[in-house]
Amino acid sequence: MSFIIYLFIFIFGLVIGSFLNCLIWRLYKEEGIWNRSYCPACRGQIAWYDNIPVLSFILLGGKCRHCQGKISWQYPIVELVIGILFVLSFYFNFRFSIFPGLAERSGAGDFRLFLNSDFLFLTLRGWFIIAVMMVIFIYDLRWNLILDKVTLPACLVVFILNLILGISWLNLIVSGAIGGGFFLSQFLVSRGKWIGGGDIRLGLLMGLALGQASHLILAILLAYFVGSIIGLGLIISKKKKWGSEIPLGVFLSSATILTVFLGERIINWYLGLF
Ligand SMILES: [Zn+2]
């Protein structure tokens, strides 16, 4: 049973990943989500059998069936990463759940887990945060922009999910205000030179998604830590110069995903040092 549920969740993740790829492109082109998929090179419609996550990319050799135009590696990579992250998120939730004994009571990896509404919403929250952060990651990496069209509706969704999960609205507001305020203050001090307006809304989203100030601060620290290491690496390898822009949203979004998985454990480990 355990294997079947993981396989099922992995395939579900691949499908969501495929949808996110499409969503990212449609957001960029400002098109509706529900039109048929087409090849960006020749604008030929993509048949359903050429639109199967990962598999079609391999079978087509990474090329469009009609025009032989190259299909970006982004497509299979995002699909695979979302599939893997969805499985991990599910695993972490029931293994290290905030509801001890849940896995034993319902039989490890059983679909009945989802009948427990706490588990259901915790899992949905994890998957939703992964999906939104992936869109922000790719979009900021490619086009150096964090869209309000993505962050603001996501703020509302995570706020509601966290309320359902029993996090107090006061905690959520405080955490969201710290996240938004942290970037807003830098925006004001630098007059928009260090920080874009999109980062402020992303800070708000991170605060509302993580739901606790401690987790939010951890995510920001992780982002700056990883960001400075990679930035330094790029400068040393002369790919970038000092002061050239490395999109902050790339690091903030990946740090948020990491904190959703491991935040509690990292904080406990850190507190255990003293
Ligand atoms: Zn084509």
Side-chain angles (χ1 to χ4, degrees), residues 93 99 102 113-127 161 165:
N93 274 354
F99 315 109
L102 182 67
L113 272 170
F114 288 107
L115 294 178
N116 178 305
S117 68
D118 285 335
F119 187 84
L120 175 69
F121 284 110
L122 191 67
T123 306
L124 286 179
R125 186 190 78 141
W127 289 348
L161 283 173
L165 283 167

Side-chain angles (χ1 to χ4, degrees), residues 91-272:
Y91 176 80
F92 274 83
N93 274 354
F94 95 85
R95 208 79 205 158
F96 311 108
S97 160
I98 51 174
F99 315 109
L102 182 67
E104 287 73 25
R105 282 205 303 280
S106 44
D110 194 309
F111 280 105
R112 273 172 297 177
L113 272 170
F114 288 107
L115 294 178
N116 178 305
S117 68
D118 285 335
F119 187 84
L120 175 69
F121 284 110
L122 191 67
T123 306
L124 286 179
R125 186 190 78 141
W127 289 348
F128 182 78
I129 294 173
I130 290 165
V132 168
M133 292 300 158
M134 177 60 89
V135 172
I136 293 171
F137 179 95
I138 297 286
Y139 207 98
D140 204 21
L141 189 66
R142 289 185 70 177
W143 299 298
N144 245 307
L145 200 64
I146 301 169
L147 296 177
D148 292 344
K149 258 191 273 187
V150 175
T151 46
L152 295 181
C155 280
L156 186 67
V157 174
V158 288
F159 186 77
I160 292 169
L161 283 173
N162 276 331
L163 280 183
I164 293 172
L165 283 167
I167 300 178
S168 82
W169 62 269
L170 191 65
N171 267 1
L172 289 172
I173 302 268
V174 167
S175 173
I178 294 174
F182 177 74
F183 295 107
L184 177 64
S185 57
Q186 292 185 62
F187 182 84
L188 293 176
V189 167
S190 71
R191 292 186 186 162
K193 274 185 199 135
W194 305 337
I195 292 284
D199 295 311
I200 303 169
R201 265 81 73 181
L202 177 55
L204 174 70
L205 173 62
M206 288 169 68
L208 293 176
L210 296 169
Q212 291 169 60
S214 57
H215 286 216
L216 169 72
I217 292 163
L218 174 68
I220 292 175
L221 287 175
L222 279 174
Y224 277 85
F225 181 67
V226 175
S228 53
I229 288 176
I230 291 179
L232 213 60
L234 289 175
I235 288 160
I236 290 169
S237 66
K238 299 206 171 82
K239 288 217 164 88
K240 298 249 175 187
K241 290 191 213 120
W242 281 113
S244 68
E245 252 179 74
I246 301 165
L248 187 59
V250 168
F251 301 114
L252 290 172
S253 53
S254 32
T256 305
I257 292 178
L258 204 64
T259 307
V260 170
F261 284 138
L262 295 172
E264 198 67 37
R265 312 184 90 211
I266 294 175
I267 288 169
N268 286 340
W269 165 79
Y270 182 74
L271 293 177

Side-chain angles (χ1 to χ4, degrees), residues 39 41-44 64 66-69:
C39 162
C42 68
R43 299 193 69 88
C64 168
H66 308 294
C67 71
Q68 303 297 307

Side-chain angles (χ1 to χ4, degrees), residues 45-67:
Q45 277 199 353
I46 299 170
W48 65 268
Y49 49 82
D50 285 340
N51 213 359
I52 300 164
V54 184
L55 208 62
S56 292
F57 183 86
I58 296 168
L59 291 176
L60 291 168
K63 286 179 189 141
C64 168
R65 185 184 290 277
H66 308 294
C67 71

